[in-house]
Amino acid sequence: MSTASAPELQQAAQQRQPVLAERLVAWQRLEGRHHLPWQQTRDPYRVWLSEIMLQQTQVSTVLAYYERFLQRFPAVADLAAAPLDEVLAMWSGLGYYSRARNLHRCAQAVVAEHGGRFPDNAEALQTLPGIGPSTAAAVAAFCFGQRISIMDGNVKRVLARVLGWEADLCVATHERALWQAAQTVLPERTEDMPSYTQGLMDLGATLCTPRKPACLTCPWTELCVARTTDEPERLPVKTRKLKRSTREHWWLWLVRQAPDGEQVWLEQLPDTGVWAGLWTLPLLDDEAAMAALLGEPLARALELQPRLKHVLTHLDWWLHPRRLVLDEAQAAVLTPTLQARHDAAGARVASSIVPQQGRWVPVADLAAWGLPAPVRKLLQP
């Protein structure tokens, strides 16, 4: 393959448009996925919810969360009226928690600004919190038949291969050229848009995978430029590599023996950063900071727990839990010091992460709190 120009890419898309669209629609209706719950609806709320959940998350993981979420928030008005902490608790374990916060804000905007009805076009949908171009296109295409292409990672891979687009997609102008080509190959009939859009998703998820694509069973096999080479996996081209970093913190796992059952001290993290707005055990910079916070007698009583490695997209986070069980008198003495950690001046003594607030939470009630998955696993094994 030789690198084509943007006009040549557009010309290739125009030449292939009718047959690409027709074959994909026919393939999806016959052999595509039809068992997923969000495929059985044209309700914008449910389609939007599935699109947000599926960002950076596998279908197998999303299925259970999707059903539970709809049981608790069956309509957009229910989600808008719920406290954010409850939404975060329902999201706990899905990761990328900014999605949950934007989900809540978006629901409130739909109710307050649109009377509880999602806008019927991609341009208006993109004005809502947390809805980007591809999510807006998915909702508009699935629910309202708008002729607009989605452009997530799977779709970029599928179209770059079939059209032989070798330009670096980390360059904005190259990605825009691919999007324009994607618009060109759309089916002519609006009633075909749901099947076409789902077909793009199915193709990228099941056949045109990053490695070892199943070219022989692909509906576009005879039309695909990348298949004519010995290495279709080489496309799409993305030169920018994600830089990973490492972080290390010590977790202070405090348990209070209260008359009505065990309680654990939780702190709410700031509104920005990893786990923003969630509740976690106090995060301290090192064991010296932990000893300074507790005082030497209590620090000597800390129980070492196995360290944990929490892997994020851009970060390896090492966490060292230290457990300490307090009686009522010890807890009463320590609580004011813990409560003062939300004050920036005091918190700097113990941690670079300044909590918003802290409180004792009954262990029996932890399911209702917005906890990161590693915290929930540690406290509720």
Side-chain angles (χ1 to χ4, degrees):
M1 287 182 293
S2 59
T3 303
S5 64
E8 288 171 330
L9 173 67
Q10 190 66 16
Q11 183 180 15
Q14 290 171 347
Q15 291 171 344
R16 290 172 171 79
Q17 182 272 330
V19 67
L20 283 177
E22 290 169 7
R23 287 194 184 185
L24 186 60
V25 168
W27 174 82
Q28 199 285 323
R29 289 172 176 166
L30 184 64
E31 299 187 45
R33 295 179 297 181
H34 299 275
H35 65 285
L36 303 174
W38 46 84
Q39 294 176 314
Q40 316 306 319
T41 180
R42 292 293 176 258
D43 177 359
Y45 170 63
R46 292 174 177 240
V47 172
W48 161 72
L49 176 62
S50 71
E51 287 295 314
I52 300 299
M53 285 188 167
L54 287 166
Q55 293 171 2
Q56 308 284 341
T57 308
Q58 294 182 347
V59 169
S60 57
T61 301
V62 167
L63 285 169
Y65 280 89
Y66 181 78
E67 295 296 344
R68 287 198 300 266
F69 214 87
L70 287 175
Q71 289 175 7
R72 174 57 189 87
F73 311 115
V76 68
D78 301 311
L79 177 56
L84 176 58
D85 279 346
E86 186 174 357
V87 177
L88 290 171
M90 293 294 296
W91 196 271
S92 179
L94 265 181
Y96 300 96
Y97 292 93
S98 61
R99 294 182 296 172
R101 291 188 294 275
N102 283 330
L103 198 81
H104 191 238
R105 290 174 55 222
C106 183
Q108 292 177 327
V110 168
V111 170
E113 301 169 16
H114 300 276
R117 298 175 64 89
F118 281 81
D120 63 1
N121 64 86
E123 183 178 5
L125 285 164
Q126 286 185 65
T127 66
L128 295 169
I131 295 188
S134 194
T135 299
V139 175
F142 278 126
C143 303
F144 305 111
Q146 184 178 354
R147 293 186 68 252
I148 187 168
S149 180
I150 59 173
M151 189 56 76
D152 63 9
N154 279 345
V155 175
K156 292 174 187 176
R157 180 173 63 256
V158 168
L159 292 179
R161 286 176 178 174
V162 74
L163 297 174
W165 185 232
E166 288 197 279
D168 185 359
L169 292 185
C170 289
V171 178
T173 55
H174 298 162
E175 187 171 5
R176 283 197 297 271
L178 186 61
W179 192 299
Q180 290 169 356
Q183 288 296 108
T184 300
V185 299
L186 293 172
E188 296 292 342
R189 302 190 309 168
T190 57
E191 57 264 38
D192 287 337
M193 280 305 302
S195 293
Y196 177 84
T197 303
Q198 187 61 54
L200 281 177
M201 294 178 174
D202 292 350
L203 204 58
T206 63
L207 299 182
C208 196
T209 50
R211 288 173 291 279
K212 297 183 178 179
C215 295
L216 294 179
T217 56
C218 174
W220 285 351
T221 186
E222 298 172 7
L223 304 164
C224 182
V225 177
R227 185 178 175 261
T228 64
T229 73
D230 292 330
E231 44 182 357
E233 298 95 332
R234 195 166 58 82
L235 293 181
V237 175
K238 297 185 77 173
T239 59
R240 190 179 304 138
K241 301 297 183 181
L242 183 67
K243 293 183 179 179
R244 296 191 61 76
S245 59
T246 301
R247 182 184 296 182
E248 195 165 21
H249 279 96
W250 274 252
W251 258 343
L252 182 56
W253 182 1
L254 296 174
V255 178
R256 179 168 75 172
Q257 300 285 12
D260 55 348
E262 283 191 352
Q263 299 178 345
V264 63
W265 180 264
L266 295 179
E267 294 181 340
Q268 188 177 34
L269 295 178
D271 290 330
T272 58
V274 179
W275 296 345
L278 298 181
W279 292 81
T280 181
L281 302 174
L283 288 160
L284 305 175
D285 289 341
D286 50 39
E287 292 194 270
M290 192 173 289
L293 179 69
L294 294 174
E296 187 175 340
L298 289 180
R300 284 201 304 269
L302 286 170
E303 302 172 8
L304 275 64
Q305 307 291 318
R307 72 172 184 168
L308 308 172
K309 183 181 182 182
H310 185 50
V311 179
L312 301 168
T313 302
H314 62 290
L315 175 69
D316 292 331
W317 198 353
W318 289 100
L319 297 157
H320 304 265
R322 299 291 185 265
R323 191 171 186 268
L324 179 63
V325 178
L326 304 170
D327 59 30
E328 281 288 291
Q330 291 171 322
V333 172
L334 187 57
T335 296
T337 302
L338 296 171
Q339 290 172 333
R341 275 173 48 78
H342 71 272
D343 175 74
R348 287 195 195 99
V349 174
S351 179
S352 54
I353 298 177
V354 180
Q356 295 189 114
Q357 58 178 318
R359 65 186 63 179
W360 291 104
V361 176
V363 171
D365 296 343
L366 287 175
W369 288 72
L371 309 177
V375 180
R376 190 173 301 282
K377 185 176 180 180
L378 184 69
L379 300 182
Q380 298 179 295

